[in-house]
Amino acid sequence: MKVKSEMMRSLKHTLAIPFVAFLLSLTPVPDGNNRAEKVVQTIPTDNTASIEQIEKQAFDLVNKHRKSIGLPALVNKEYISAQARLHSIDMASGKVGFGHDGAEERLKIISKSMKEMQGGAENVFYCTGNYNNLAGAALEGWLKSKGHRENIEGDYNLSGMGVAIAPNGDYYFTQIFVKGKE
């Protein structure tokens, strides 16, 4: 099994100031003593959920985690999910590599649907293997990474999730977090 994750922190964008600052870091999921393999062994194979179900489950799990630590739920917005979904499709198809290519443009597109955007961040994840709970695997991977956890637990109010499957069966997840007013 192969698990990779990457995060983008402190992506700030306002409509008044067209400056976007990125801090990208590649953060592999720590596998201390083959920990990633143990995750696969504890999750039986059953990839029967639809993409829409996986997206909803992943989004709901992020909100469940936020609620468990006293944070308000993120509001799922289709215009944000659409951008996250397109990025996942682009990664799954090989149009772009795994990472944040085009993140600035995605946030600019999202900002056009808002009155004000005060900040944004993006988490991406991909996995190879069979899972009973793909959404749970993505959340678990993100929570093991300090930067991903900071995005999930960050001061955001809107979000969108997009998932795509590559021809080889790999799953690509993108979650975009936004703070702003619609």
Side-chain angles (χ1 to χ4, degrees), residues 6-13 58-59 62-63 65-66 72-75 80-81 84 100 103 106-107 110 114 117-124 139 142-143 147-161 174-180:
E6 187 174 278
M7 59 74 66
M8 176 178 54
R9 287 280 302 130
S10 301
L11 178 58
K12 296 184 180 180
H13 176 80
F59 195 91
V62 167
N63 272 338
H65 173 76
R66 286 176 62 90
L74 297 165
V75 177
I80 300 172
S81 293
H100 298 287
R106 283 188 290 284
L107 285 175
I110 290 167
M114 303 178 69
M117 180 186 281
Q118 300 161 342
E122 179 178 86
N123 284 353
V124 297
L139 179 65
W142 283 332
L143 291 177
H148 289 97
R149 180 182 286 272
E150 287 173 355
N151 287 344
I152 289 169
E153 297 175 357
D155 185 20
Y156 301 106
N157 59 321
L158 307 172
S159 186
M161 181 78 67
T174 302
Q175 184 167 18
I176 299 173
F177 303 89
V178 175
K179 180 175 181 176

Coordinates of all heavy atoms in Angstrom, one line a residue, residues 6-13 58-59 62-63 65-66 72-75 80-81 84 100 103 106-107 110 114 117-124 139 142-143 147-161 174-180:
E6 N 0.0 15.8 1.1 CA 0.6 17.0 1.0 C -0.3 18.1 1.5 O -1.5 18.0 1.4 CB 1.0 17.3 -0.5 CG 1.8 18.5 -0.7 CD 2.3 18.6 -2.1 OE1 3.3 18.0 -2.5 OE2 1.6 19.4 -2.8
M7 N 0.2 19.2 2.0 CA -0.6 20.2 2.5 C -0.1 21.6 2.1 O 1.0 21.8 1.8 CB -0.7 20.2 4.1 CG 0.6 20.3 4.8 SD 1.3 22.0 4.9 CE 0.1 22.8 5.9
M8 N -1.0 22.5 2.1 CA -0.7 23.9 1.8 C -1.2 24.7 3.0 O -2.4 24.6 3.3 CB -1.4 24.4 0.5 CG -1.1 25.8 0.3 SD -1.9 26.4 -1.3 CE -3.5 25.8 -1.0
R9 N -0.3 25.5 3.6 CA -0.7 26.3 4.8 C -0.7 27.7 4.4 O 0.0 28.2 3.6 CB 0.3 26.1 5.9 CG 0.3 24.7 6.6 CD -0.8 24.6 7.6 NE -0.6 25.6 8.6 CZ -1.5 26.5 9.0 NH1 -2.7 26.4 8.6 NH2 -1.2 27.4 9.9
S10 N -1.5 28.4 5.1 CA -1.5 29.9 5.1 C -1.7 30.5 3.7 O -1.0 31.4 3.3 CB -0.3 30.5 5.7 OG -0.2 30.0 7.0
L11 N -2.6 29.9 3.0 CA -2.9 30.4 1.7 C -3.9 31.6 1.9 O -5.0 31.4 2.3 CB -3.6 29.4 0.8 CG -4.0 29.8 -0.6 CD1 -2.8 30.4 -1.4 CD2 -4.5 28.7 -1.4
K12 N -3.4 32.8 1.7 CA -4.3 34.0 2.1 C -4.6 34.7 0.8 O -3.7 35.0 0.0 CB -3.5 34.9 3.0 CG -3.3 34.2 4.4 CD -2.7 35.0 5.4 CE -2.5 34.2 6.6 NZ -1.9 35.0 7.7
H13 N -5.8 35.1 0.7 CA -6.2 35.8 -0.5 C -7.4 36.7 -0.1 O -8.3 36.3 0.5 CB -6.7 34.8 -1.6 CG -7.2 35.4 -2.8 ND1 -6.4 35.9 -3.8 CD2 -8.5 35.6 -3.2 CE1 -7.2 36.4 -4.7 NE2 -8.5 36.2 -4.4
A58 N -16.2 11.7 3.7 CA -15.0 12.4 4.1 C -15.3 13.8 4.7 O -14.8 14.2 5.7 CB -14.1 12.5 2.9
F59 N -16.2 14.5 4.0 CA -16.6 15.8 4.5 C -17.2 15.7 5.9 O -16.9 16.4 6.9 CB -17.6 16.5 3.6 CG -17.7 18.0 3.8 CD1 -16.9 18.9 3.2 CD2 -18.7 18.4 4.7 CE1 -17.1 20.2 3.4 CE2 -18.8 19.8 5.0 CZ -18.0 20.7 4.3
V62 N -14.6 15.0 8.6 CA -13.9 16.2 9.0 C -14.7 17.0 10.0 O -14.2 17.5 11.0 CB -13.5 17.0 7.8 CG1 -13.0 18.4 8.1 CG2 -12.4 16.3 7.0
N63 N -16.0 17.2 9.7 CA -16.9 17.9 10.6 C -17.0 17.2 11.9 O -17.1 17.9 13.0 CB -18.2 18.3 10.0 CG -18.2 19.5 9.2 OD1 -17.3 20.4 9.4 ND2 -19.1 19.7 8.2
H65 N -14.8 15.4 13.4 CA -13.6 15.7 14.1 C -13.6 17.1 14.7 O -13.3 17.3 15.9 CB -12.4 15.5 13.2 CG -11.1 15.9 13.9 ND1 -10.5 15.2 14.9 CD2 -10.4 17.1 13.8 CE1 -9.4 15.8 15.3 NE2 -9.3 17.0 14.7
R66 N -14.0 18.1 13.9 CA -14.1 19.4 14.3 C -15.0 19.6 15.5 O -14.7 20.2 16.5 CB -14.5 20.4 13.2 CG -13.5 20.6 12.2 CD -13.9 21.5 11.0 NE -14.4 22.8 11.4 CZ -13.6 23.9 11.5 NH1 -12.3 23.8 11.1 NH2 -14.1 25.1 11.9
P72 N -16.8 24.7 15.2 CA -18.0 24.7 14.4 C -17.8 23.9 13.1 O -16.7 23.8 12.6 CB -18.3 26.2 14.1 CG -17.0 26.8 14.2 CD -16.2 26.1 15.3
A73 N -18.9 23.4 12.6 CA -18.9 22.6 11.4 C -18.6 23.5 10.2 O -18.9 24.7 10.2 CB -20.2 21.9 11.2
L74 N -17.9 23.0 9.2 CA -17.7 23.7 8.0 C -18.9 23.5 7.2 O -19.6 22.5 7.2 CB -16.5 23.0 7.2 CG -15.1 23.1 7.9 CD1 -14.2 22.1 7.2 CD2 -14.6 24.5 7.9
V75 N -19.3 24.5 6.4 CA -20.4 24.5 5.5 C -19.9 24.0 4.1 O -19.0 24.6 3.6 CB -21.1 25.9 5.4 CG1 -22.3 25.8 4.4 CG2 -21.6 26.3 6.8
I80 N -17.2 25.3 -4.1 CA -15.8 24.9 -3.6 C -15.6 23.4 -4.0 O -14.5 23.1 -4.4 CB -15.7 25.2 -2.1 CG1 -15.9 26.7 -1.8 CG2 -14.3 24.7 -1.6 CD1 -16.0 27.1 -0.4
S81 N -16.6 22.6 -3.8 CA -16.4 21.2 -4.1 C -16.1 21.0 -5.6 O -15.3 20.1 -5.9 CB -17.7 20.4 -3.7 OG -17.9 20.4 -2.3
A84 N -12.4 21.5 -6.0 CA -11.7 20.4 -5.4 C -11.8 19.1 -6.2 O -10.8 18.4 -6.5 CB -12.2 20.1 -4.0
H100 N -0.3 20.7 -5.5 CA -1.1 21.8 -5.4 C -1.0 22.7 -6.7 O -1.3 23.9 -6.7 CB -0.8 22.7 -4.2 CG -1.1 21.9 -2.9 ND1 -2.4 21.7 -2.5 CD2 -0.2 21.4 -2.0 CE1 -2.3 21.0 -1.4 NE2 -1.0 20.8 -1.1
A103 N -3.5 25.8 -7.4 CA -4.2 26.2 -6.2 C -4.6 27.6 -6.2 O -5.7 28.0 -5.8 CB -3.4 25.8 -4.9
R106 N -7.6 28.1 -8.4 CA -8.8 27.5 -7.8 C -9.4 28.5 -6.8 O -10.6 28.8 -6.8 CB -8.5 26.2 -7.1 CG -8.4 25.0 -8.1 CD -8.3 23.7 -7.4 NE -7.0 23.5 -6.7 CZ -5.9 23.2 -7.3 NH1 -5.8 23.1 -8.6 NH2 -4.8 23.0 -6.5
L107 N -8.5 29.1 -6.0 CA -9.0 30.1 -5.0 C -9.5 31.3 -5.6 O -10.5 31.9 -5.2 CB -7.9 30.4 -3.9 CG -7.7 29.2 -2.9 CD1 -6.5 29.5 -2.0 CD2 -9.0 29.0 -2.1
I110 N -13.0 30.5 -6.8 CA -13.9 30.4 -5.6 C -14.2 31.8 -5.1 O -15.4 32.1 -4.8 CB -13.2 29.5 -4.5 CG1 -13.2 28.1 -5.0 CG2 -14.0 29.7 -3.2 CD1 -12.3 27.2 -4.1
M114 N -17.9 34.7 -3.9 CA -18.0 35.2 -2.5 C -18.0 36.7 -2.5 O -17.4 37.4 -3.4 CB -16.8 34.7 -1.7 CG -16.8 33.1 -1.7 SD -15.3 32.5 -0.8 CE -15.9 33.0 0.8
M117 N -13.2 36.9 0.6 CA -12.4 35.8 1.0 C -11.2 36.2 1.9 O -10.4 37.1 1.5 CB -11.9 35.0 -0.2 CG -11.1 33.8 0.2 SD -10.3 32.9 -1.1 CE -11.6 32.0 -1.8
Q118 N -11.2 35.7 3.1 CA -10.1 36.1 4.1 C -9.0 35.1 4.1 O -7.9 35.5 4.7 CB -10.7 36.3 5.4 CG -11.8 37.4 5.4 CD -12.7 37.3 6.6 OE1 -12.8 36.3 7.3 NE2 -13.5 38.3 6.9
G119 N -9.1 33.9 3.6 CA -8.1 33.0 3.7 C -8.5 31.6 3.1 O -9.7 31.4 2.9
G120 N -7.6 30.8 2.8 CA -7.9 29.5 2.3 C -6.7 28.5 2.4 O -5.6 29.0 2.6
A121 N -7.0 27.3 2.4 CA -6.0 26.2 2.4 C -6.5 25.0 1.7 O -7.7 24.9 1.4 CB -5.7 25.9 3.9
E122 N -5.6 24.1 1.4 CA -5.9 22.9 0.6 C -5.2 21.7 1.2 O -4.0 21.8 1.4 CB -5.6 23.2 -0.8 CG -5.8 22.0 -1.8 CD -5.5 22.4 -3.2 OE1 -4.3 22.2 -3.6 OE2 -6.4 22.9 -3.9
N123 N -5.9 20.6 1.3 CA -5.3 19.3 1.6 C -5.5 18.4 0.5 O -6.6 18.4 -0.1 CB -5.9 18.7 2.9 CG -5.5 19.3 4.2 OD1 -4.6 20.2 4.2 ND2 -6.1 18.9 5.2
V124 N -4.5 17.7 0.1 CA -4.6 16.6 -0.9 C -4.1 15.3 -0.3 O -3.3 15.3 0.6 CB -3.9 16.9 -2.2 CG1 -4.5 18.2 -2.9 CG2 -2.4 17.1 -2.0
L139 N -9.0 10.9 6.2 CA -9.0 11.7 7.4 C -7.9 11.2 8.4 O -7.2 12.1 8.9 CB -10.4 11.6 8.2 CG -10.4 12.4 9.5 CD1 -10.3 13.9 9.2 CD2 -11.7 12.1 10.2
W142 N -4.6 12.6 7.1 CA -4.5 14.0 7.3 C -4.3 14.3 8.8 O -3.5 15.2 9.1 CB -5.7 14.7 6.8 CG -5.8 14.9 5.3 CD1 -4.8 15.0 4.5 CD2 -7.0 15.0 4.5 NE1 -5.2 15.1 3.2 CE2 -6.6 15.1 3.2 CE3 -8.3 15.0 4.8 CZ2 -7.5 15.3 2.1 CZ3 -9.2 15.1 3.8 CH2 -8.8 15.3 2.4
L143 N -4.9 13.6 9.7 CA -4.8 14.0 11.1 C -3.4 13.6 11.7 O -3.0 14.1 12.7 CB -5.9 13.3 11.9 CG -7.3 13.9 11.7 CD1 -8.3 13.1 12.5 CD2 -7.3 15.4 12.0
G147 N 0.4 19.7 9.6 CA -0.1 20.8 8.7 C -1.5 20.5 8.3 O -2.4 21.4 8.2
H148 N -1.8 19.2 7.9 CA -3.2 18.9 7.5 C -4.1 19.0 8.7 O -5.2 19.5 8.5 CB -3.2 17.4 7.1 CG -2.5 17.1 5.8 ND1 -1.2 16.7 5.7 CD2 -3.0 17.3 4.5 CE1 -0.9 16.5 4.5 NE2 -1.9 16.9 3.7
R149 N -3.7 18.6 9.9 CA -4.5 18.8 11.1 C -4.8 20.3 11.3 O -5.9 20.6 11.6 CB -3.8 18.2 12.3 CG -4.7 18.3 13.6 CD -3.9 17.8 14.8 NE -3.9 16.3 14.8 CZ -4.9 15.6 15.3 NH1 -5.9 16.1 15.9 NH2 -4.8 14.3 15.3
E150 N -3.8 21.1 11.1 CA -4.0 22.6 11.3 C -5.0 23.1 10.3 O -5.8 24.0 10.7 CB -2.7 23.3 11.2 CG -1.8 23.1 12.4 CD -0.4 23.7 12.2 OE1 -0.1 24.2 11.1 OE2 0.4 23.6 13.1
N151 N -5.0 22.6 9.1 CA -6.0 23.0 8.1 C -7.4 22.6 8.5 O -8.4 23.3 8.5 CB -5.7 22.5 6.7 CG -4.5 23.2 6.1 OD1 -4.1 24.3 6.5 ND2 -4.0 22.6 5.1
I152 N -7.5 21.3 8.9 CA -8.8 20.7 9.3 C -9.4 21.5 10.6 O -10.5 21.7 10.7 CB -8.7 19.2 9.6 CG1 -8.5 18.5 8.3 CG2 -9.9 18.7 10.4 CD1 -8.1 17.0 8.4
E153 N -8.5 21.8 11.5 CA -8.9 22.5 12.7 C -8.8 24.0 12.6 O -8.9 24.7 13.6 CB -8.0 21.9 13.9 CG -8.2 20.4 14.1 CD -7.3 19.9 15.2 OE1 -6.4 20.6 15.7 OE2 -7.4 18.7 15.4
G154 N -8.5 24.5 11.5 CA -8.3 25.9 11.3 C -9.5 26.8 11.3 O -10.7 26.3 11.4
D155 N -9.3 28.1 11.3 CA -10.4 29.1 11.4 C -11.0 29.3 10.0 O -10.8 30.3 9.3 CB -9.8 30.4 11.9 CG -10.9 31.5 12.1 OD1 -12.1 31.1 12.2 OD2 -10.5 32.7 12.2
Y156 N -11.7 28.3 9.5 CA -12.4 28.3 8.3 C -13.9 28.1 8.5 O -14.2 27.4 9.5 CB -11.8 27.2 7.3 CG -10.4 27.4 7.1 CD1 -9.4 26.6 7.6 CD2 -9.9 28.5 6.3 CE1 -8.1 26.8 7.4 CE2 -8.5 28.7 6.0 CZ -7.6 27.8 6.6 OH -6.3 28.0 6.4
N157 N -14.7 28.5 7.6 CA -16.2 28.3 7.8 C -16.8 27.6 6.6 O -17.9 27.1 6.7 CB -16.9 29.6 8.0 CG -16.7 30.7 7.0 OD1 -15.6 30.8 6.4 ND2 -17.7 31.4 6.7
L158 N -16.1 27.6 5.4 CA -16.6 27.0 4.2 C -15.6 26.0 3.7 O -14.4 26.1 3.9 CB -16.9 28.0 3.1 CG -17.7 29.2 3.5 CD1 -17.7 30.3 2.4 CD2 -19.1 28.8 3.9
S159 N -16.1 25.0 3.0 CA -15.2 24.0 2.5 C -15.9 23.2 1.3 O -17.1 23.3 1.1 CB -14.8 23.0 3.6 OG -13.8 22.1 3.2
G160 N -15.1 22.4 0.6 CA -15.6 21.5 -0.4 C -14.6 20.4 -0.5 O -13.4 20.5 -0.3
M161 N -15.1 19.2 -0.9 CA -14.4 18.0 -1.0 C -14.6 17.4 -2.4 O -15.7 17.4 -2.9 CB -14.9 17.0 0.0 CG -14.2 15.6 0.1 SD -12.6 15.7 0.9 CE -13.1 16.0 2.6
T174 N -9.2 15.9 -2.6 CA -8.8 17.3 -2.4 C -9.9 17.9 -1.5 O -11.1 17.8 -1.8 CB -8.7 18.1 -3.8 OG1 -7.8 17.4 -4.6 CG2 -8.3 19.5 -3.5
Q175 N -9.4 18.6 -0.5 CA -10.3 19.4 0.3 C -9.8 20.8 0.4 O -8.7 21.0 0.7 CB -10.5 18.8 1.8 CG -11.6 19.6 2.5 CD -12.0 19.0 3.8 OE1 -11.4 18.1 4.4 NE2 -13.2 19.5 4.3
I176 N -10.7 21.7 0.0 CA -10.4 23.1 0.1 C -11.1 23.8 1.2 O -12.3 23.6 1.4 CB -10.7 23.8 -1.3 CG1 -9.9 23.2 -2.4 CG2 -10.4 25.3 -1.2 CD1 -10.3 23.7 -3.8
F177 N -10.4 24.5 2.0 CA -10.9 25.2 3.2 C -10.9 26.7 2.9 O -9.9 27.2 2.4 CB -10.0 25.0 4.4 CG -9.9 23.5 4.8 CD1 -8.9 22.8 4.2 CD2 -10.8 22.9 5.6 CE1 -8.7 21.4 4.5 CE2 -10.6 21.5 5.9 CZ -9.6 20.8 5.4
V178 N -12.0 27.4 3.2 CA -12.1 28.9 3.0 C -12.7 29.6 4.2 O -13.6 29.1 4.8 CB -13.0 29.1 1.7 CG1 -13.2 30.6 1.5 CG2 -12.4 28.5 0.5
K179 N -12.1 30.7 4.4 CA -12.8 31.6 5.4 C -13.2 32.8 4.6 O -12.5 33.5 3.9 CB -11.8 32.1 6.5 CG -12.4 33.0 7.5 CD -11.5 33.3 8.6 CE -12.3 34.2 9.6 NZ -11.5 34.5 10.8
G180 N -14.5 33.1 4.8 CA -15.0 34.3 4.0 C -16.5 34.5 4.2 O -17.2 33.8 4.9

